[in-house]
Amino acid sequence: MVRAAVLPAVGAPLEITGIDLPEPGPGQVRVRLAAAGVCHSDLSLSDGTMRVPVPAVLGHEGAGTVVSVGEGVTHVSPGAGVILNWAPSCGRCHACSLGEVWLCANALTGAGTVYARRTDGTDLYPGLNVAAFAEETVVPAACALPVPDGVPLADAALLGCAVLTGYGAVHHSAKVQPGETVAVFGVGGVGLATLQAARIAGASKIVAVDVSPEKEALARRVGATDYLVASENTAREIRGLTDKQGVDVAVECVGRAVTIRTAWDSTRRGGRTTVVGIGGKDQQVVFNALEIFHWGRTLSGCVYGNSDPAKDLPVLAEHVRAGRLDLGALVTERIALDGIPAAFDNMLAGKGGRALVVF
C-alpha cells in the first residue's frame, strides 16, 4: 500500500489516497520516488486535452531509488538512483528506424496497461507510463534510466521532462547557433529550461515573454537578457529589440493559438519557430498563403524536445556538473503529495515555475 494522487475521471479533482502496488514482474522495476515535477502536461491529462485511460495515477517527471527488479532486468539494481523516462522508444517502429525515437509509435502503450489497483479493487492506469505522483511506482525497465553521476537525486526528476524538452527544443529542434537571437514564450518549468538552454547555446539576446510581470527576476536569473509582459504588441516590441528584424528563433512553451501566432510574427524573415506547448484541438492557428511565401519562416512541432534520453541525459549531466545548468532555478515551490491540486491551480493562474513534489 502506497499513497498516490489518483485522477478518478477526466475533469474530476485529484484524490490523494492509498493504492495497492504489486511487486515487479518480469522486465519491470519498482521505484521509491524521491521527487516528481508537476508539469502542465499533467494538467492537460486531467482536463482531457490529452487522453489517457482513467482512473489513473498521473505524474511523468520523476526520479527515485530502485526498490526491487523483476526477472530479466540487469541495467539497474536495488539501491540505484533512476530517472523515469515516460516515453521509452521501442526500437522497432518506423520512427525508431529513422532515429526519431521521440516519435516512437509505441512509446505510450504502457499507459493503457493496468499497473495497480485502488483499495476497492478498481483497476488503475499509469498516466504517462510511469505514475510518478506516488510514493512508489512500478514501471517497465525501459522507463528507468540510471541517474548520471553528480546530479542530486531530487533535482534529477526535472531532467525527465522539463529539461529534456527545453534543452532539446533549443539544441535539437531549433538548432540555435552562437550569436543568434531567441525569444521564449512562457516562463514555466519548460520555459525556464529553454532559457537556460538558449544561454548555453550562446544566444546573443534572449527575450522572455510571459503574462506575469512577477516572473521577470526568475527569467533573468536563468539567462534572459530582456523581459516582456505579453500583450497584443509583443511581436512589435521584439522587433524593436532586434533592429526591427525579429528574432532568429522563437520557442513557444504555452500551447495557445494566439501565442503560437505571436511567436511566428516575432521571428525574422527566414527565422524558425518551434512549438513545445501542448494545445487543445480548439486552438486553431491561421496563416495566409502569401505570408508563408513572403516570410520564408519555418514552423515546427517539438515532441519531448526531439530528444533521445539515453544520449541526452549524460550531456545534460555534464552541464549540471560544470555549473552551466542550474536545475534548482527551475523550482519555485517544493510541496508534498497533498499539494499537487494547489500546484495545478497555480499553473492555471500562470504563477511560478516548476512545483516539485518531494517525498
Side-chain angles (χ1 to χ4, degrees):
M1 177 80 68
V2 300
R3 294 178 72 238
V6 175
L7 177 70
V10 172
L14 291 180
E15 299 176 359
I16 311 301
T17 185
I19 66 171
D20 289 323
L21 191 67
E23 290 302 312
Q28 292 184 322
V29 179
R30 182 167 179 145
V31 178
R32 180 180 300 112
L33 273 296
V38 183
C39 178
H40 204 280
S41 296
D42 298 308
L43 187 60
S44 296
L45 292 170
S46 71
D47 66 16
T49 299
M50 297 168 62
R51 293 286 184 177
V52 293
V54 290
V57 174
L58 301 184
H60 61 281
E61 182 183 85
T65 303
V66 175
V67 176
S68 55
V69 301
E71 181 183 352
V73 177
T74 59
H75 74 293
V76 294
S77 57
V82 293
I83 296 170
L84 299 181
N85 174 17
W86 62 269
S89 56
C90 70
R92 302 181 305 275
C93 69
H94 182 64
C96 287
S97 73
L98 297 174
E100 299 173 350
V101 297
W102 54 91
L103 298 179
C104 176
N106 301 307
L108 294 179
T109 55
T113 302
V114 172
Y115 93 113
R117 287 179 172 79
R118 302 191 70 157
T119 54
D120 64 2
T122 303
D123 290 341
L124 282 172
Y125 297 91
L128 291 179
N129 280 328
V130 297
F133 287 168
E135 294 169 331
E136 295 187 13
T137 188
V138 173
V139 300
C143 291
L145 301 177
V147 173
D149 293 338
V151 180
L153 188 57
D155 289 348
L158 301 165
L159 295 176
C161 183
V163 179
L164 274 172
T165 299
Y167 183 88
V170 168
H171 290 266
H172 301 323
S173 180
K175 295 181 171 61
V176 174
Q177 300 300 306
E180 288 193 312
T181 54
V182 177
V184 178
F185 290 78
V187 185
V190 173
L192 289 168
T194 304
L195 290 168
Q196 293 204 55
R199 171 177 49 76
I200 291 170
S204 61
K205 182 178 286 292
I206 305 171
V207 185
V209 182
D210 198 274
V211 296
S212 172
E214 287 77 22
K215 293 185 180 182
E216 180 172 359
L218 192 61
R220 289 186 181 276
R221 174 184 170 188
V222 297
T225 59
D226 299 88
Y227 189 87
L228 298 175
V229 177
S231 73
E232 61 183 13
N233 296 317
T234 296
R236 185 179 300 111
E237 290 177 299
I238 288 176
R239 287 194 294 274
L241 293 170
T242 54
D243 297 325
K244 299 182 180 180
Q245 298 302 308
V247 290
D248 297 298
V249 171
V251 182
E252 199 274 357
C253 304
V254 181
R256 296 183 62 230
V258 64
T259 317
I260 294 170
R261 178 70 221 204
T262 302
W264 164 273
D265 289 338
S266 299
T267 59
R268 64 169 174 82
R269 197 173 186 189
R272 292 104 69 199
T273 299
T274 290
V275 179
V276 174
I278 300 173
K281 294 179 180 179
D282 60 329
Q283 295 290 314
Q284 301 292 316
V285 188
V286 179
F287 307 93
N288 67 60
L290 180 60
E291 69 175 314
I292 292 174
F293 161 77
H294 173 75
W295 288 103
R297 295 164 172 153
T298 300
L299 177 67
S300 61
C302 181
V303 178
Y304 204 7
N306 293 7
S307 295
D308 181 345
K311 294 180 180 178
D312 288 327
L313 286 176
V315 175
L316 293 173
E318 180 54 34
H319 287 308
V320 173
R321 290 191 292 265
R324 293 183 292 267
L325 179 58
D326 183 355
L327 297 177
L330 275 64
V331 180
T332 53
E333 187 179 20
R334 296 178 187 268
I335 61 176
L337 194 63
D338 296 350
I340 296 174
F344 276 13
D345 291 339
N346 286 336
M347 279 194 292
L348 284 170
K351 297 180 180 178
R354 194 52 123 221
L356 189 67
V357 181
V358 180
F359 294 90

